[in-house]
Amino acid sequence: MTISDLQEAAQTIMFGGDTRRVADLGLFTLSLSLGAALLSSLVLSWAYSAFYGARATGSNVHRSFPLISIAVTAIFICVQFSLPLSLGLLGSLSIVRFRTPIKEPEEIGFIMLVIASSLCCASFNVAFLIAILGVAFVALMVLRWSPAFLSRRAGSGTLVIRCTGEQYRDALPSMISLIEAHLSKPSFDSLSTAEDACVLTWSFQKVCLVKSAELERKLQETLPQASVGVYYNNHANA
């Protein structure tokens, strides 16, 4: 018995007597599957750009979505018709480490969506592909325009005040009233003191430039020799 006979016997056991090969699918079917994978990856790439493209810290991972989708689809089309190939792929993945830099947590979710849509294309399951993309877009819209109970508690901006211990004790009520009047949902984060110097930090959700400048001006009037800094990233809520 030759090696090819053993492979056919293994495929017969695996697929219940179905010994089809990849070539039996036909060039049109393979092209259609790869085309669907490419189209779904372009849709996911556009979704990443539309919902998270404004962030400056991302690694632009969406540029690799089309190639990832085509490669994963081709791999699983070949693997599902060959038991030796599937075992070889399992052994390869056990020793190969993919060190792709992930700078945003959403990138992991999009990569998993690309892989899931590729598996649907490889198994010729169009209904699952449409369902995955549809539910993914609903989830993205919920995350974008989520109600208050779904938004994160941490602020998107930080206010830092450095002053002396005497100024801190004398002007604390005035500072709190000014901060609550000019910032949206301020939350006191930390207080550190060293050698009669105090550093206070607040986090907040939103602030406009006019109110930020007015707050800095009033805090400087209340604490003449203090250092005031407002750090705000508007893309944090995107």
Side-chain angles (χ1 to χ4, degrees):
M1 181 178 290
T2 62
I3 296 178
S4 60
D5 295 333
L6 291 175
Q7 291 180 353
E8 290 184 3
Q11 289 176 350
T12 303
I13 295 173
M14 183 177 180
F15 297 105
D18 187 2
T19 59
R20 294 178 299 167
R21 301 177 184 271
V22 179
D24 296 335
L25 295 175
L27 183 60
F28 176 77
T29 305
L30 291 174
S31 301
L32 191 63
S33 177
L34 294 176
L38 176 62
L39 181 61
S40 63
S41 66
L42 293 176
V43 171
L44 291 174
S45 181
W46 172 84
Y48 180 88
S49 300
F51 287 91
Y52 298 104
R55 299 193 176 189
T57 58
S59 60
N60 293 323
V61 70
H62 64 286
R63 295 183 300 179
S64 64
F65 287 174
L67 294 179
I68 292 176
S69 181
I70 293 173
V72 172
T73 302
I75 288 172
F76 277 94
I77 286 177
C78 296
V79 163
Q80 66 179 321
F81 293 106
S82 174
L83 179 60
L85 278 178
S86 62
L87 295 177
L89 179 64
L90 181 62
S92 306
L93 294 179
S94 65
I95 61 175
V96 176
R97 297 182 180 180
F98 297 94
R99 299 186 180 273
T100 304
I102 302 297
K103 296 185 178 180
E104 293 289 342
E106 292 82 9
E107 294 181 358
I108 301 176
F110 273 94
I111 291 175
M112 294 302 297
L113 280 176
V114 171
I115 295 175
S117 62
S118 301
L119 291 177
C120 291
C121 296
S123 59
F124 310 101
N125 201 328
V126 181
F128 273 19
L129 176 63
I130 296 175
I132 289 174
L133 295 179
V135 174
F137 272 96
V138 171
L140 288 173
M141 288 188 288
V142 169
L143 291 175
R144 170 64 69 86
W145 297 286
S146 60
F149 69 92
L150 285 179
S151 62
R152 62 176 187 169
R153 301 177 67 92
S156 58
T158 304
L159 170 66
V160 180
I161 301 176
R162 295 178 177 87
C163 61
T164 63
E166 183 179 356
Q167 287 178 323
Y168 160 69
R169 289 185 291 270
D170 295 340
L172 182 59
S174 303
M175 278 194 296
I176 294 176
S177 61
L178 287 173
I179 291 170
E180 290 179 349
H182 291 81
L183 299 181
S184 173
K185 298 181 180 179
S187 174
F188 179 72
D189 288 340
S190 65
L191 167 66
S192 60
T193 58
E195 298 180 357
D196 200 34
C198 294
V199 179
L200 303 93
T201 60
W202 279 266
S203 62
F204 56 90
Q205 292 293 331
K206 295 180 181 179
V207 66
C208 64
L209 291 177
V210 176
K211 286 191 174 183
S212 175
E214 184 180 357
L215 175 62
E216 290 188 51
R217 179 179 60 82
K218 291 186 176 180
L219 286 175
Q220 290 289 354
E221 293 176 355
T222 305
L223 305 168
Q225 310 205 345
S227 174
V228 179
V230 179
Y231 307 95
Y232 181 61
N233 180 17
N234 191 36
H235 298 315
N237 289 331

